[in-house]
Amino acid sequence: MESGGGTSGREVETEKESRLGVGETEVAVEMRTERGVRKRDKSEERKARKAEKKRMKEEEEARTVAELSAYSATDNPFHDVNLGQQFRWHKKNEKERKQGLSAAESAQRDALRRQEAKEELERLNRRRAEREAEQRIREEEEIRMQRLAESAQMADWLAKDEDFQLEQERNRAAIRIKEKRAKAIDFLSLNLRYVNPIKDDDEEVNDEELEIDLDEPYNILENLTPAQVEELHDDIERYLRLEQSDVNIEFWTNMMVVVKDQLERIKQNESMGVEAAAAVEADITALLRGKSYDHLVALQKSIQAKLTSGEPIEVEYWEGLLKKLLVWKAKAKLKTLHEVVVRNRLEQLRKRQRDEALQAQEELLAGVARSAARGERPSALSETAEQDNNLTEEQEPYDRSMSPALLDITKLPYEERQIDIVTELDDLRSLMAQRRSVATSRFVPRTAQPVAEPQESGEAASNADLASEALYRAEAERELDEEEELFNVEESLPNPMTYNWEDKHRPRKPRYFNRVHTGYEWNKYNQTHYDTDNPPPKVVQGYKFNIFYPDLIDKSKAPTYKIIKEPGNDETVILQFTAGPPYEDIAFRIVNREWEFSHKRGFRSSFDRGCLSLWFNFRRNFYRK
């Protein structure tokens, strides 16, 4: 029992010792394992440090190579795999060692060569930069010259556009004068037509213009209302923007001075009263009337000297007088210009009379020749003419019964007896004074009223004719759009025509009121070279023709039109309108482009109530890629 028990105790102790040994062994193993991990960690850190040093060394060598080379790893046109590595010339080093050169001398010589290469590279870079700068300057100069050329071309186009606008203004003035609805600006524009003598090869002057009497231009303001004076001021401003001639610009400038003075007088009449303003104006007029331009200039100098002398004077009066003096100087210049206009108009009248006399002489000689060819005696005509003259010369003697009987003033009613008794001489003087006042008023403004044309047949106008006249007036009074202009320049037919109905009806031209539509064409070229601030030149985009035939003999046949092309002229064509008796054919020159016949695009061709309406726009082409 004891032995058994002892044995068991030793086993227990042995087991405990064995348990302690196993624990120590595990601790020792763990310590050895931690020491190995630390050694491995240190070796990996050392390797990383070595790799970092190696990378930095390679970057330094690559940087050194990049300083000597014009290329880099990102810019490698030759696809060199060793571009980032430093080149080492082993045979060169060996040759230098054989020549007895030391490594320091070889390195010094290589450094010198690298410095020379670097300087050469910098010099080449500078030359390249200079060439690029010169190229940039040349390109800028070319762009500047191109802009100057475009500006000159644009200025030429603008000048042509202004000339066109000015010509249209003059044509409108001539049309209004011809149709008896002229404005004040139209008579002033008529003055400028006679500033320069019209030569034989120039445009002929209309007879209606020669029949109009022109007074001094500034006298036209006497019969204008304030609203009409303001309208005249705006019209003169428009002419000043369009005129190019120095003489015309001087004329409109002087007229502007006079018109502004008239506007100031209207304001003074409203503020001071008509009587007070008239009294002041009468004093100044009495002082300056009748003086020539040279006298006015001398008077202006004396007034300016008086104002700058420092003497005790009434400054406000003399400044007002100096201001009025400028207006009278402008009137003196206008009067001088008016003398030239009158002289040139008289020359035109004499020329027309000479032409009419020569034409009458040629007709008389032709009639005598025809009568001589038929065997008639011209003396018979002269005898008949003498007999007619004798009959007209015989006058009936005066008899008292031819005059009205005398009246007894006491038998007249009271109202009639209160009328002043005027002698024949006083009545004649009053009549002549009224005639002179009317003659001096060259322009009497009035509202435009429809004037019926005289009927040749003596019959009353039909309802269709009156409706056509109303349509014409409505078309004439309708305001033009911003992109529309009057187009009433008639073109002569290339081949004059004769009509087989001339012996029955007198041929005459129809009336018309046409418009031309202009605008900007934004094609690819204009979109590239222009913008809304600097737009391209306007081009013709369409026309609106309104031809009036109120007295057609055969109203069942509508008027027709056709296009006549001229050989060698691809820019324009002639549009001819034909109606029938009693109207002659009429033609206009238009731009040669393809028409747009769609009603949605504005095309219209109709004949209603004596009015032929032909409206069309030109086709616009759109290209797609």
Side-chain angles (χ1 to χ4, degrees):
M1 295 294 291
E2 294 177 357
S3 59
T7 304
S8 59
R10 283 194 296 271
E11 290 177 356
V12 172
E13 293 177 357
T14 305
E15 186 177 357
K16 291 181 179 179
E17 292 177 356
S18 61
R19 289 178 179 175
L20 291 174
V22 171
E24 293 175 356
T25 304
E26 291 177 356
V27 172
V29 170
E30 290 178 359
M31 292 176 64
R32 287 195 299 270
T33 303
E34 291 177 358
R35 191 181 301 113
V37 171
R38 284 197 300 271
K39 288 181 180 180
R40 283 196 298 271
D41 291 343
K42 291 180 180 179
S43 62
E44 290 177 359
E45 291 177 359
R46 186 163 51 253
K47 288 180 181 180
R49 287 194 298 270
K50 288 181 179 180
E52 183 67 21
K53 289 181 180 180
K54 185 177 180 180
R55 186 180 61 79
M56 292 177 63
K57 185 176 181 181
E58 290 176 354
E59 288 181 357
E60 184 66 25
E61 291 179 357
R63 191 180 301 107
T64 305
V65 172
E67 291 179 356
L68 300 177
S69 175
Y71 305 102
S72 63
T74 58
D75 184 12
N76 189 4
F78 307 106
H79 304 287
D80 188 3
V81 296
N82 300 322
L83 182 65
Q85 298 179 4
Q86 186 176 7
F87 175 74
R88 298 186 182 279
W89 202 341
H90 299 285
K91 289 190 176 183
K92 170 180 165 296
N93 297 335
E94 185 179 356
K95 182 179 179 181
E96 289 177 351
R97 282 196 302 271
K98 289 181 180 181
Q99 290 178 356
L101 294 175
S102 62
E105 293 176 350
S106 178
Q108 184 179 3
R109 188 170 63 175
D110 292 343
L112 182 61
R113 289 177 179 175
R114 286 194 298 270
Q115 183 65 25
E116 292 177 355
K118 184 177 181 181
E119 293 176 357
E120 180 68 18
L121 185 61
E122 292 177 355
R123 186 164 56 254
L124 293 176
N125 290 334
R126 284 196 304 271
R127 290 180 59 187
R128 183 175 63 181
E130 291 175 358
R131 287 196 303 272
E132 291 177 354
E134 292 176 357
Q135 179 68 19
R136 186 168 58 255
I137 292 173
R138 284 197 299 270
E139 292 177 355
E140 292 177 357
E141 185 66 20
E142 291 177 358
I143 293 174
R144 190 178 67 84
M145 294 301 294
Q146 185 178 1
R147 288 179 178 175
L148 289 177
E150 292 177 355
S151 299
Q153 189 175 10
M154 177 61 71
D156 188 17
W157 286 338
L158 290 176
K160 291 181 180 179
D161 183 68
E162 290 178 355
D163 293 341
F164 174 75
Q165 297 291 342
L166 180 60
E167 188 65 25
Q168 290 297 314
E169 291 290 341
R170 292 172 178 172
N171 292 336
R172 293 193 195 100
I175 292 171
R176 286 193 291 264
I177 291 175
K178 185 177 181 180
E179 295 180 355
K180 309 301 182 183
R181 54 185 183 91
K183 300 192 298 184
I185 192 66
D186 301 334
F187 290 94
L188 297 179
S189 177
L190 185 60
N191 279 271
L192 295 179
R193 291 180 59 87
Y194 301 94
V195 172
N196 299 319
I198 300 178
K199 300 179 182 179
D200 296 337
D201 54 351
D202 291 342
E203 183 182 0
E204 292 294 333
V205 180
N206 296 329
D207 294 340
E208 292 84 356
E209 296 178 0
L210 290 176
E211 296 296 336
I212 298 174
D213 294 333
L214 294 179
D215 200 358
E216 284 82 358
Y218 49 84
N219 288 339
I220 201 171
L221 299 172
E222 297 178 358
N223 299 316
L224 297 182
T225 62
Q228 291 171 342
V229 175
E230 292 180 358
E231 182 183 4
L232 179 60
H233 179 272
D234 298 337
D235 294 336
I236 293 175
E237 283 185 345
R238 184 168 61 253
Y239 270 94
L240 277 174
R241 288 195 302 267
L242 299 176
E243 285 288 358
Q244 300 293 333
S245 174
D246 295 337
V247 178
N248 296 353
I249 291 175
E250 183 182 4
F251 172 79
W252 292 117
T253 304
N254 293 328
M255 277 303 306
M256 179 63 75
V257 172
V258 179
V259 171
K260 287 183 177 180
D261 177 68
Q262 183 69 16
L263 291 174
E264 291 181 359
R265 290 172 59 184
I266 293 173
K267 293 180 181 178
Q268 289 180 0
N269 292 340
E270 295 177 354
S271 61
M272 299 173 54
V274 179
E275 296 181 356
V280 175
E281 188 69 24
D283 295 340
I284 297 176
T285 303
L287 180 62
L288 301 178
R289 176 178 293 175
K291 295 185 181 296
S292 63
Y293 182 79
D294 297 334
H295 292 166
L296 293 175
V297 171
L299 182 59
Q300 180 183 6
K301 292 180 180 179
S302 63
I303 294 174
Q304 290 176 350
K306 185 182 291 294
L307 288 173
T308 56
S309 63
E311 299 178 358
I313 58 175
E314 189 178 352
V315 179
E316 184 178 357
Y317 169 77
W318 291 106
E319 287 181 350
L321 181 59
L322 184 62
K323 190 174 181 180
K324 291 293 182 180
L325 187 62
L326 298 177
V327 178
W328 281 87
K329 285 177 61 179
K331 290 183 178 181
K333 288 185 178 180
L334 292 173
K335 187 175 182 179
T336 304
L337 183 65
H338 177 69
E339 294 176 357
V340 177
V341 169
V342 171
R343 185 165 56 251
N344 292 336
R345 292 190 76 228
L346 289 176
E347 182 63 27
Q348 288 296 322
L349 287 171
R350 294 192 187 99
K351 179 178 179 300
R352 189 179 68 171
Q353 291 174 357
R354 288 195 298 268
D355 295 341
E356 292 177 354
L358 291 175
Q359 184 179 1
Q361 184 178 3
E362 291 175 358
E363 293 177 355
L364 181 61
L365 293 176
V368 172
R370 286 195 300 269
S371 63
R374 290 194 299 266
E376 298 178 357
R377 293 185 304 169
S379 59
L381 297 175
S382 61
E383 292 176 359
T384 304
E386 290 179 0
Q387 292 177 0
D388 295 339
N389 293 333
N390 292 333
L391 291 176
T392 55
E393 289 178 358
E394 294 180 358
Q395 296 181 357
E396 184 179 359
Y398 173 76
D399 188 21
R400 183 66 184 83
S401 61
M402 296 180 181
S403 299
L406 296 177
L407 296 177
D408 188 3
I409 192 172
T410 58
K411 297 180 180 180
L412 294 176
Y414 176 77
E415 291 80 6
E416 295 182 1
R417 281 182 291 175
Q418 299 301 321
I419 300 176
D420 295 335
I421 299 176
V422 182
T423 61
E424 181 180 1
L425 182 60
D426 294 339
D427 185 41
L428 181 61
R429 288 176 180 175
S430 176
L431 179 61
M432 295 306 295
Q434 294 178 4
R435 288 181 178 178
R436 281 194 297 271
S437 63
V438 172
T440 54
S441 300
R442 306 301 182 188
F443 171 72
V444 179
R446 61 179 181 180
T447 57
Q449 298 178 355
V451 180
E453 294 184 354
Q455 302 292 332
E456 294 182 359
S457 60
E459 299 177 356
S462 63
N463 294 331
D465 297 339
L466 296 176
S468 176
E469 181 68 19
L471 285 175
Y472 172 80
R473 290 299 177 184
E475 187 70 23
E477 294 175 359
R478 188 171 67 87
E479 295 183 359
L480 298 176
D481 295 339
E482 294 181 358
E483 297 181 352
E484 283 186 352
E485 295 289 342
L486 288 181
F487 184 70
N488 292 336
V489 181
E490 185 180 346
E491 184 73 15
S492 59
L493 293 173
N495 298 321
M497 301 181 62
T498 58
Y499 308 95
N500 54 6
W501 41 265
E502 290 183 359
D503 55 344
K504 297 181 180 179
H505 310 283
R506 182 179 65 84
R508 64 177 184 269
K509 292 284 187 181
R511 302 176 66 183
Y512 52 84
F513 197 91
N514 306 332
R515 293 179 174 88
V516 57
H517 180 72
T518 59
Y520 303 114
E521 186 174 354
W522 292 105
N523 51 26
K524 289 296 183 181
Y525 179 85
N526 290 341
Q527 291 178 8
T528 305
H529 295 80
Y530 302 98
D531 53 15
T532 55
D533 295 332
N534 298 309
K538 286 187 177 181
V539 296
V540 177
Q541 295 182 349
Y543 295 91
K544 290 183 179 180
F545 292 95
N546 299 282
I547 317 296
F548 299 93
Y549 301 101
D551 298 329
L552 272 178
I553 303 300
D554 187 2
K555 298 183 182 296
S556 62
K557 295 182 180 180
T560 60
Y561 63 90
K562 64 179 180 179
I563 296 176
I564 302 175
K565 295 185 177 180
E566 298 176 331
N569 186 5
D570 297 334
E571 299 294 332
T572 59
V573 294
I574 295 177
L575 181 60
Q576 180 178 350
F577 294 90
T578 304
Y583 293 102
E584 299 178 359
D585 293 354
I586 190 171
F588 302 92
R589 185 175 295 277
I590 63 174
V591 180
N592 185 15
R593 289 177 60 186
E594 187 178 359
W595 292 12
E596 180 67 64
F597 291 99
S598 173
H599 291 281
K600 295 181 179 179
R601 301 288 184 179
F603 180 78
R604 178 180 179 182
S605 178
S606 63
F607 180 66
D608 184 22
R609 293 183 293 180
C611 175
L612 173 63
S613 299
L614 178 61
W615 299 0
F616 60 87
N617 293 320
F618 293 126
R619 185 181 297 276
R620 299 177 62 186
N621 298 321
F622 299 94
Y623 300 97
R624 293 182 179 178
K625 295 183 179 179

